[in-house]
Amino acid sequence: MVTTTAYDVAATVKDPELPMLTISDLGILRDVRQDGDHVTVEITPTYSGCPAMGAIRADVTQQLNDAGYHDVDVRTVLQPAWTTDWISEDGKRTLARAGRVLDPVGRPAHLGASATGQ
């Protein structure tokens, strides 16, 4: 018997590159829809070609399966592009406490170019 909503389960998945944040806090969890037994999850990478997307997709699927959702489709949505505006206020505080800064284009520095642009 499923007792937690699919959104609530997906929202607990940790980002593999920033494990202090959930994908919800990072703002990459875009949508979770349930149609009967089928769950569709939409995620957006922090940048095109983000290598963590495969791991995130697998983690979302596994956590939903573990919670009793067995028909899961995780889709990558590229438009609109992710922006730091999507990081939750709690996520921003967590990043600051962890000493993570945003690079010149607003991404957590390890997710794209370094602060020097290299």
Side-chain angles (χ1 to χ4, degrees), residues 1-13 32 34 37 39 41 58-72:
M1 179 176 158
V2 176
T3 59
T4 305
T5 70
Y7 182 91
D8 290 340
V9 172
T12 66
V13 172
V32 179
Q34 192 170 350
D37 292 335
V39 176
V41 178
D59 290 348
V60 167
T61 301
Q62 185 62 55
Q63 283 191 222
L64 284 165
N65 288 170
D66 290 350
Y69 298 97
H70 298 291
D71 185 10
V72 177

Side-chain angles (χ1 to χ4, degrees), residues 40-57:
T40 302
V41 178
E42 293 182 349
I43 54 178
T44 295
T46 55
Y47 65 97
S48 245
C50 174
M53 293 306 286
I56 293 168
R57 187 176 298 103

